Each structure stands twice: as structure tokens, then as C-alpha cells.
């Protein structure tokens, strides 16, 4: 079929229609047509993914432009669940959701230009980052042009963080997958033409914050598949301008601005900190040296951070933060300099001479860039890598010793800026020595003596942690020896239970590690290291390599052990459908199920009505089959089965019967619970109900 290029201008909102019966007839005829048809909208980055994938594969197809203000019967018939573009129709069979479509294209035409890696772990990583683009770039980018003021500023900082994460993943590679243009590139590249809109609306430069990403975008634009697909950035900007007018963005932002919360009352000086942080301890030492009274607020840095911290440091969302008369100051060395300047008549911390001040800043910065980094490596690494880190660390100590010389403190006789920068790490010396097997006193005796002098100062002794406590904390942080397969999970998580069911179906032995996900307690360092992007369970660690996001994990399990109980169908179309319905469970079932117990009154009633519609859609897909995939228990069943134990909570909270609303789904649930893999993984309904009761009290639902 001919490939018709999409229009390059904004189409009208309404257009003339044929009679309804003729349109329905044509829609039915279209679904019976052989070949490839793409239902799309010219500026959609999601549809552009599909166009790029088809072009990379050299697949001819018919492009049909949709009017999103007046959707065609063919679109509504092809995607009755979401009623959205893009939809790929292949030999009359529709495939929905852009990333699912791209995977389908890769699997149906496997002989040309593979888009996903062959190796299961690499494939899981590609799916993770493509999913990250879906969850982060589009949503955050949309906020940039929808919001103004503080809301837009927060969105801009968040987007910059996202871009830097993507740049870190790209590294020095040509494309995200290496030398070959592939799945993650296709997921992200359509947003390159939106960069101009993001920059213009929010006043920043993507090239300045993520130069490697911009260079990658230019390389991608040299590919014919990309260049012919992407919209002109200025056309995208015009399109967004039309949307802003249509949705009344300016009026909405003014209304939000009027509803901003007032700054909470606080003491003149507040320090947001964490007990063991050497960076926070610098601030405590400086405040003590200056004799400044302040309010100390302990932050949970590995769990739920306080709204005040997130508001005070929206860029890094980290401690320490000094709040002085309601104005936040972030980054420890900047804070110490601020303290010195705000209270200049007490114990100067920086020298008066400009050159001496510059030297003090240099060495304090050296501590930040070198001492902390290589000190951390001493307990994080093993073997040759640790030995190399120890050698570098000893060299750093000797450089510091050379700067200290025969002086009492780094600044001379007066305790000052460089001393404050380094002193908190004195309590880490024992951990460094014990982990890497050496003596700081032997390697740098003058630095060791300086450390003891610093500890004689009340400001330091009261601020820094006991070495034994630091060592114990670091020892817990060090990875324990693990089996080749480890699952980081939380007992009641339906997402983690999916992974447990999949591993059981495959007969894979693994080590289960229970995580404390409560905001009141710290998540394990292993979880934070394994999933630095979301910091969430579940995480599956295969031979030391982490895989995140439950549906991606289940697919990885299926691909890593292909000779046991296949979970995803072999046929590409059936596989695409399975991915669609598992994604539907994630986007719809979980979300509306949670609302049933979170809401009350009219809001809960409306949610119940929508939830019943979702159940009926699932029942329609299940039909008379034993499982969603047919006779074999598989991917969609694993996605949905953990929620069976939540049925009682949904029914009791909202006053209805799932068995009455969707009897086939209820019967499927009973069949699933007869499987050992499911019965051993899911929680008891009564336990779920008790936990929901606790959550309702915690969130003030009652």
C-alpha cells in the first residue's frame, strides 16, 4: 500500500462526515482489508514512533490522518478501550499503544533492522528506558507549556533532571543501544522536535543542560526514517500555542497562583538535615562556631522527603538546606559561606585576603570532588577496583597533607573553611581503613593528627557521628553476597507478586529480600543503587544486573528462561495484545481500584461505575477462555492475578459485588488461585483489608 505522508499543518477541529451507517460499514470493511494501515495524527510523538519503526523496517503502509476532535468509526472500532491514536492495523487486526506497536513491528518483520536487542537483559533495559520516556518526558514536558511561575519552574528543573538521567544512560554511545539505532532511540527521538517548545516556554537551553543528548538528536535526524517523520519544531510550537488558547492555560495558572500555600511559620534559622550526613555536619559545625541558634529538622532522605525539603530544594531535593528568615540556601559549602557572611562579626570562617579565600575554596572543593568520591569507592568496591581506589585515596590524603604542612589547621592557627569541609569525614576514617585494609595514620600522619585536634573542638565533637555508627551503617549498605537471582520486594505489593508468580511458573530459585518501603524508615542502599531512577520495588537482580518495573521484569524472566513455561505468546500479534491488556491493568485497574477505598460519596460512586466498566472490558477480553491467553496461564493473567486478593477490599469499601458485575472474571480469579504459583504469592484478602484500613487512617480517608 502507498505510504502517504502526514500533513505538516494543524488540521481543522471538525470536518464533514458521511452518514453514520455508511461510516460503520466502511470501518468494518477497513478491518477486513489486508496490508498495513496506520491511524495517526500529524504531530503525535507516539504515532511518529510507529512511522519511524515502519520506515526502519522498510514496510509500506497506508497513513490515515485522524481528527482527534471528531474521531473516525475505524479508530473507535479499532481501539474501543482507549479510543486513541496511534493504531496499527495489520491484515485487519488492530494493535494499540505506541511502544507495543513498535515491538510488534520488530517481531513481525524480524529479518530487517532489529529494533530490540537479542539478549534478554539488554532487552529489559531497553524496555525500561523506553517506559521511562513514556512516564517522564511527555508528562513533564506538557507541564512546561501548561504552567507558569513556580509550577513551571519546578517542571523545568524536573525535566532537566530527566534529560541528565537520559544523557547518563546514553553516555558516549552513538545511540542508546550502542552503534545500532533501536528501541529507546525510537521512543525518545520524536520529542526532539518538541525541544524548541519546551525551551521557549520555560526559558532554558536543552543543549546547555544535555549537550550529548542534543548531539544524539542531530545524529538521529540524519536518518531518513527520522527526518521524514518528525514535525518542524516551529509547527509544533504553533500547535502548542493553539492548545494553550483552547484549554485556557493562562487563566488556570492564575487561579492556581491564588491558591498557593502560605509559607509555614518557622524560626529565623532552620536546618534540614540527616544525622549521618557529613555535608549537613559541615553546616552544624559552622553554626556552632558562629554561636547561631537554630532549629534542627531530621529528614528521611531515603524515604518520603518532607514537603518543606522538596519545596526548599526543588532542584536537587537533597539535604542539607539552611532556611534563614524563610529563604532557603542549598549545597553545604555554599551554606557555610552564607553563614560566614550573614554573621560576619563572629569567628570568621574564610580568610579576609582574596587569594587566601580563593585557595580555601579550592581545597574545600577538592574535598568534595575527590575525598568523598574515592572514600565512597573504598566501601562500595571489591578486588582490583577497590585496590585502585585505595591507591588514589592515599594520593589524595598526601595532597591534603602537603597543603596542611606543619600548620595547626588548614588556614593556619584559626579553624576555618577547609577544616569544616573535611572534619566531618574524620568519623569515616575507621570505615575507610576497615573496608580497604590500610591505616590513614601511616599513610598521612599529619592529617590523622589534625583530625584529633579537630575532634577536641566542641563544635566538631557535637556534630560528627561516632565512627562505629558510621561503620555499621556502611556495612549495611555494602552488598551482601547474593544468589544469582535476587528479588527486592514488599510482601503486599501486587507488582512484586507478579514477579514471584512468574519466577514460580518458570521454576526459578531466587533469594527474596523484603524491603521496608514505608516513608518513616529507610529503603535499603541496595534498592536505591539498583533502581536509582524510581527508587521503588520490585527489582529483580540477575547475576548482579538489576531489572526494574514489574511488567518488564516478567518479560525478562520469560526471555531469560525460554525453555520453561512460556508466559508471553509466540505469535507477534497475540504478544502485542497481551502487552496491551497487561498495560491496561496497570493504567486502569490499579488506579481505579485504589480510588474505591480512597474516596467517598459521589466521587467513590463515579469511580465504582468506571471500575465496573473496566471489569466488563476485561470480561469481554477473557470471554469463554480459561485464561486470558487461552488454555495457558500467561502474561495478562500474571499482571491481573495479584489484584484478586484486593477484590474483597474493593467490594467492601464501595458496596458492590465483583461476582455480580463480572462473573467470568470472578470465575477466572478462582481458577488462578488454584495455581500453586499464585496461591503462594498473593496475600490473604483479610490481610489486605486490614492494611487498607491502616492506609485509610494514615491518609485521613475516614
Amino acid at each position: 500500500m502507498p505510504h502517504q505522508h502526514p500533513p505538516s499543518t494543524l488540521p481543522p477541529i471538525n470536518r464533514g462526515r458521511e452518514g453514520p451507517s455508511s461510516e460503520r460499514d466502511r470501518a468494518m470493511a477497513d478491518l477486513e482489508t489486508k496490508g498495513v494501515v496506520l491511524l495517526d495524527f500529524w504531530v503525535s510523538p507516539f504515532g511518529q514512533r510507529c512511522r519511524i519503526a515502519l520506515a526502519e523496517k522498510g514496510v509500506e503502509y497506508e497513513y490515515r490522518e485522524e481528527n482527534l476532535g471528531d474521531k473516525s468509526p475505524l479508530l473507535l472500532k479499532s481501539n474501543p478501550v482507549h479510543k486513541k491514536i496511534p493504531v496499527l492495523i495489520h491484515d485487519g487486526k488492530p494493535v494499540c499503544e505506541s511502544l507495543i506497536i513498535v515491538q510488534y513491528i520488530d517481531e513481525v518483520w524480524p529479518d530487517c533492522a532489529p529494533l530490540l536487542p537479542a539478549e534478554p537483559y539488554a532487552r529489559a533495559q531497553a524496555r525500561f528506558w523506553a517506559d521511562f520516556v513514556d512516564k517522564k518526558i511527555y508528562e513533564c514536558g506538557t507541564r512546561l507549556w501548561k504552567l507558569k511561575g513556580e509550577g513551571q519552574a519546578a517542571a523545568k528543573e524536573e525535566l532537566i533532571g530527566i534529560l541528565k538521567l537520559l544523557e547518563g544512560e546514553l553516555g558516549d554511545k552513538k545511540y542508546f543501544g550502542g552503534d545500532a539505532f533501536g528501541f529507546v532511540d525510537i521512543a525518545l527521538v520524536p520529542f526532539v522536535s518538541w525541544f524548541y517548545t519546551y525551551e521557549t516556554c520555560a526559558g532554558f537551553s536543552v543543549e546547555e543542560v544535555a549537550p550529548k543528548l542534543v548531539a544524539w538528536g542531530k545524529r538521529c535526524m540524519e536518518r531518513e526514517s527520522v527526518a521524514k517523520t518528525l514535525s518542524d519544531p516551529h509547527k509544533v510550537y504553533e500547535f502548542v500555542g493553539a492548545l494553550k488558547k483552547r484549554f485556557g492555560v493562562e487563566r488556570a495558572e492564575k487561579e492556581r497562583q491564588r491558591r498557593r500555600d502560605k509559607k509555614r511559620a518557622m524560626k529565623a534559622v532552620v536546618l534540614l538535615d540527616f544525622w549521618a550526613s557529613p555535608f549537613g555536619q559541615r553546616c552544624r559545625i559552622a553554626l556552632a562556631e558562629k554561636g547561631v541558634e537554630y532549629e534542627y529538622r531530621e529528614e528521611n532522605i531515603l524515604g518520603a522527603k518532607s514537603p518543606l525539603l522538596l519545596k526548599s530544594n526543588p532542584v536537587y531535593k537533597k539535604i542539607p538546606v539552611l532556611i534563614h528568615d524563610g529563604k532557603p540556601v542549598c549545597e553545604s559549602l555554599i551554606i557555610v559561606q552564607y553563614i560566614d557572611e550573614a554573621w560576619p562579626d563572629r569567628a570568621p570562617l574564610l580568610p579576609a585576603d582574596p587569594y587566601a579565600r580563593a585557595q580555601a575554596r579550592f581545597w574545600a572543593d577538592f574535598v568534595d570532588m575527590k575525598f568523598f568520591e574515592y572514600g565512597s569507592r573504598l566501601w562500595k568496591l571489591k578486588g582490583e577496583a577497590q585496590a585502585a581506589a585505595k591507591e588514589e585515596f592515599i594520593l589524595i590524603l598526601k595532597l591534603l597533607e602537603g597543603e596542611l604542612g606543619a600548620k595547626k589547621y588548614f588556614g593556619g592557627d584559626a579553624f576555618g573553611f577547609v577544616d569544616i569541609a573535611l572534619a566531618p569525614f574524620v568519623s569515616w576514617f575507621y570505615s575507610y581503613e576497615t573496608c580497604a585494609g590500610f591505616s590513614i595514620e601511616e599513610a598521612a600522619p599529619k592529617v590523622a593528627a589534625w583530625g584529633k585536634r579537630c575532634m577536641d573542638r566542641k563544635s566538631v565533637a557535637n556534630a560528627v557521628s561516632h565512627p562505629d555508627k558510621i561503620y555499621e551503617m556502611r556495612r549495611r549498605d555494602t552488598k551482601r553476597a547474593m544468589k544469582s537471582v535476587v528479588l527486592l520486594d514488599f510482601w503486599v505489593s501486587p507488582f512484586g507478586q507478579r514477579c514471584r508468580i512468574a519466577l514460580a511458573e518458570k521454576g526459578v530459585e531466587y533469594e527474596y529480600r523484603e524491603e521496608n518501603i514505608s516513608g518513616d524508615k529507610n529503603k535499603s542502599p541496595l534498592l536505591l543503587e539498583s533502581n536509582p531512577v524510581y527508587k521503588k520495588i520490585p527489582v529483580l537482580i540477575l547475576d548482579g544486573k538489576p531489572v526494574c518495573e514489574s511488567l518488564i521484569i516478567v518479560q525478562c524472566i520469560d526471555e531469560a528462561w525460554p525453555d520453561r513455561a512460556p508466559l508471553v505468546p509466540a505469535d507477534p500479534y497475540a504478544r502485542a495484545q497481551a502487552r496491551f491488556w497487561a498495560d491496561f491493568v496497570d493504567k486502569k485497574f490499579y488506579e481505579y481500584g485504589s480510588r474505591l477505598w480512597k474516596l467517598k460519596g459521589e466521587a467513590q460512586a463515579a469511580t465504582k461505575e468506571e471500575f465496573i466498566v473496566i471489569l466488563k472490558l476485561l470480561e469481554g477480553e477473557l470471554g469463554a477462555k480459561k485464561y486470558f491467553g487461552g488454555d495457558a496461564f500467561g502474561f495478562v493473567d500474571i499482571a491481573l492475578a495479584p489484584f484478586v486478593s484486593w477484590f474483597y477490599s474493593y467490594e467492601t469499601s464501595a458496596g458492590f459485588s465483583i461476582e455480580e458485575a463480572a462473573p467470568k472474571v470472578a470465575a477466572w480469579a478462582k481458577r488462578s488461585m488454584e495455581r500453586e504459583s499464585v496461591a503462594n504469592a498473593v496475600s490473604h484478602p483479610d490481610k489486605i483489608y486490614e492494611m487498607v484500613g491502616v492506609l485509610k487512617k494514615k491518609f485521613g480517608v475516614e
Side-chain angles (χ1 to χ4, degrees), residues 28-44:
M28 292 301 295
D30 284 336
L31 282 176
E32 294 171 3
T33 302
K34 296 292 182 182
V36 182
V37 178
L38 181 65
L39 309 183
D40 200 359
F41 180 61
W42 69 280
V43 78
S44 166

Side-chain angles (χ1 to χ4, degrees), residues 117-125 127 542 547 555-556 559-562:
E119 198 268 323
Y121 180 74
R123 198 153 57 240
Q125 290 302 100
R127 286 178 179 135
L542 293 178
V547 184
Q555 291 177 82
C556 180
E559 293 162 357
W561 290 276

Side-chain angles (χ1 to χ4, degrees), residues 354-375:
Y355 181 75
R357 196 155 60 240
Q359 289 300 99
R361 287 179 178 135
F362 172 85
W363 285 104
D365 184 64
F366 177 82
V367 171
D368 259 13
M369 289 197 297
K370 295 290 187 175
F371 195 90
F372 172 69
E373 169 63 24
Y374 282 90

Side-chain angles (χ1 to χ4, degrees), residues 621-639:
E621 173 60 19
L622 179 63
K625 304 191 294 282
K626 183 178 181 181
Y627 298 113
F628 279 90
D631 290 332
F633 183 80
F635 191 53
V636 183
D637 305 288
I638 290 171

Side-chain angles (χ1 to χ4, degrees), residues 311-333:
K311 183 179 179 182
S312 302
N313 190 353
V315 176
Y316 297 118
K317 304 177 178 64
K318 293 191 303 185
I319 55 91
V321 177
L322 184 82
I323 304 174
H324 184 204
D325 292 334
K327 295 179 291 186
V329 184
C330 308
E331 297 295 287
S332 64
L333 294 181

Side-chain angles (χ1 to χ4, degrees), residues 417-457:
F417 190 55
V418 182
D419 305 289
I420 290 173
L422 184 58
F425 293 98
V426 170
S427 60
W428 292 67
F429 283 6
Y430 174 68
S431 294
Y432 298 156
E433 294 171 322
T434 307
C435 289
F438 75 113
S439 164
I440 288 178
E441 191 156 19
E442 289 179 9
K446 291 180 181 177
V447 169
W450 162 88
K452 292 173 184 175
R453 285 196 295 276
C454 290
M455 287 300 294
D456 291 336
R457 297 184 74 87

Side-chain angles (χ1 to χ4, degrees), residues 486-559:
V486 178
L487 180 65
L488 310 183
D489 198 0
F490 179 62
W491 69 278
V492 79
S493 167
F495 305 104
Q497 289 168 359
R498 290 170 172 173
C499 309
R500 287 177 247 163
I501 293 169
L503 289 164
E505 288 287 331
K506 289 284 190 176
V508 177
E509 289 190 5
Y510 65 99
E511 178 185 348
Y512 177 91
R513 294 194 186 175
E514 179 75 6
E515 283 288 333
N516 182 353
I517 64 170
S518 169
D520 299 326
K521 295 187 179 178
N522 297 340
K523 296 173 184 174
S524 77
L526 180 58
L527 173 59
L528 298 172
E529 182 181 345
S530 302
N531 190 354
V533 175
Y534 296 119
K535 303 177 178 65
K536 292 191 303 185
I537 54 93
V539 176
L540 186 79
I541 304 175
L542 293 178
D543 295 327
K545 296 182 290 186
V547 184
C548 308
E549 297 294 284
S550 64
L551 293 182
I552 294 172
I553 292 171
V554 173
Q555 291 177 82
C556 180
I557 290 168
D558 194 40
E559 293 162 357

